Amino acid sequence: MMKQQNVKVGFLLAMLTAILWGAVPIAMKYAMVSIDPYTVVWYRFVISAIVITGWLAYKKQFPNFRVFKKRRRFIMLMITGFALITNFVLFASGVKYLTPTTSQVVAQLGIVIFMISSAIVFKEHLRPSQLIGIAILLIGLALFFNKSLIMLFTNLSEYGKGVWLVVLASIAWTIYALAQKVLLSKLRAEQLLWLVYMICAIFILPISSPEKIFNADAGQLFALIFCGLNTIFSYGALVAAMERWQAAQVSAVTTLAPLFALVFSDLFALLWPTKFAIQYLNVWGYIGALAVICGAMFATIGHQIWLPGKGFLFKQKTGEKE
């Protein structure tokens, strides 16, 4: 059973991941005015790898490579790396055609897939409240796209292309998340992230153009650096959350990313209207966004609503905590 303190820390780390994921597509879209998606992704991995290298050197905690003497673990590491490369490249490519909020809303499909997959692969129990939350979330997604849902399946416009790129990125993220959770039993979170980021930076270099940063202005360079730092802190928080809390519940909290993307997008548009655009939604779109948030939260803590007075974010039964 998980300790109460670990569950609460896991919840806070998952929320931090959602906030950072909500901000990153805004920075990516601004950086990609002058830099192509592949190069943006490469810099994200390089910046993250450099930061973690310094941290591991300071702590003297580089991974023991003898862990990968077993071929199965090495294969799992490579699957983790290539799945993350695929996710980053497809997501960045999709952001070119979409607003930050839309890209994050579409990405929630990966969270739903991961919740179900983690329950199957890791034998984690999905409560009825979580299943209801998933259903509400999916209905919310349909409402969010109320004006363009049919078009997504009948007309492959730039908008539709962006949506499907992010859908594929979500599937790749599911594979990454499942594979990295398996490896966490043998490696510390920061050790695993270091290995994955190094793999990603090496293999994406041939299709990137690092010299394109000289075409960017100061604001775009700042956005690029933010993307790199965001990568390490958001995925670091995600991995640490999964060490302390069930993967299905961590993924439910991170579905709040579209809310933060919407808030940040509108805030930046008000502060810098010439550089950022407001996300325009009709009434059904806002209802859909609210449904996504409510579905995510109900999937996370719905059992507390059904069992009031049993504590916060954990269930108490005969002296045990979950």
Side-chain angles (χ1 to χ4, degrees):
M1 295 293 179
M2 295 184 179
K3 295 182 179 179
Q4 177 186 5
Q5 183 63 29
N6 282 343
V7 170
K8 291 181 178 179
V9 171
F11 171 78
L12 293 175
L13 289 168
M15 185 64 71
L16 175 60
T17 301
I19 293 172
L20 293 172
W21 281 356
V24 74
I26 302 172
M28 287 175 61
K29 194 170 185 68
Y30 185 57
M32 285 190 295
V33 172
S34 301
I35 308 171
D36 66 272
Y38 303 108
T39 303
V40 169
V41 170
W42 182 77
Y43 274 110
R44 289 184 69 183
F45 286 132
V46 168
I47 292 171
S48 300
I50 291 173
V51 173
I52 298 184
T53 299
W55 174 256
L56 292 177
Y58 172 74
K59 288 288 188 177
K60 297 181 180 179
Q61 291 180 345
F62 283 102
N64 185 346
F65 290 96
R66 286 180 293 181
V67 169
F68 299 103
K69 281 186 175 180
K70 291 188 176 181
R71 185 179 178 184
R72 182 168 61 101
R73 293 174 188 164
F74 178 77
I75 293 175
M76 191 64 66
L77 176 64
M78 298 306 294
I79 291 174
T80 305
F82 280 101
L84 192 61
I85 291 175
T86 304
N87 168 257
F88 271 46
V89 170
L90 291 176
F91 184 79
S93 300
V95 167
K96 284 182 59 179
Y97 305 109
L98 304 173
T99 64
T101 302
T102 301
S103 62
Q104 281 294 2
V105 167
V106 177
Q108 302 317 301
L109 288 174
I111 303 297
V112 172
I113 297 170
F114 179 49
M115 290 180 68
I116 297 172
S117 299
S118 63
I120 296 172
V121 175
F122 303 119
K123 310 299 181 182
E124 295 179 351
H125 177 62
L126 277 177
R127 300 182 180 89
S129 60
Q130 290 175 308
L131 296 175
I132 293 172
I134 291 174
I136 295 172
L137 189 149
L138 292 175
I139 293 172
L141 289 174
L143 291 175
F144 183 86
F145 289 105
N146 66 91
K147 294 192 300 183
S148 54
L149 188 61
I150 296 177
M151 183 188 71
L152 295 179
F153 296 95
T154 60
N155 181 22
L156 193 61
S157 60
E158 286 194 350
Y159 181 83
K161 185 188 299 183
V163 169
W164 286 111
L165 284 170
V166 176
V167 169
L168 293 174
S170 301
I171 296 173
W173 182 87
T174 301
I175 297 171
Y176 159 77
L178 292 172
Q180 63 89 31
K181 187 168 176 64
V182 173
L183 291 172
L184 283 175
S185 62
K186 301 298 179 182
L187 295 166
R188 295 171 60 90
E190 59 271 25
Q191 293 173 333
L192 176 58
L193 286 173
W194 179 71
L195 289 170
V196 170
Y197 291 156
M198 292 293 287
I199 291 171
C200 293
I202 292 171
F203 282 96
I204 201 175
L205 178 59
I207 60 174
S208 64
S209 303
E211 71 280 359
K212 286 189 176 181
I213 62 169
F214 297 110
N215 300 328
D217 60 26
Q220 291 158 358
L221 287 175
F222 177 82
L224 183 63
I225 294 172
F226 173 80
C227 288
L229 296 177
N230 184 294
T231 302
I232 183 174
F233 287 116
S234 63
Y235 277 82
L238 177 67
V239 172
M242 288 184 177
E243 289 180 323
R244 294 165 174 82
W245 205 17
Q246 284 192 5
Q249 293 175 318
V250 169
S251 60
V253 174
T254 58
T255 57
L256 292 173
L259 169 64
F260 295 112
L262 179 60
V263 171
F264 293 148
S265 293
D266 288 352
L267 178 61
F268 291 165
L270 291 173
L271 294 175
W272 300 286
T274 60
K275 296 183 178 180
F276 300 95
I278 292 179
Q279 170 81 48
Y280 291 102
L281 297 173
N282 61 16
V283 174
W284 287 111
Y286 281 108
I287 293 174
L290 180 62
V292 169
I293 296 166
C294 291
M297 294 309 297
F298 193 79
T300 307
I301 57 174
H303 60 289
Q304 296 297 327
I305 298 174
W306 287 3
L307 297 172
K310 298 296 184 180
F312 180 65
L313 294 180
F314 70 102
K315 186 166 91 175
Q316 192 171 15
K317 181 185 286 186
T318 64
E320 292 182 335
K321 295 176 182 178
E322 183 174 349

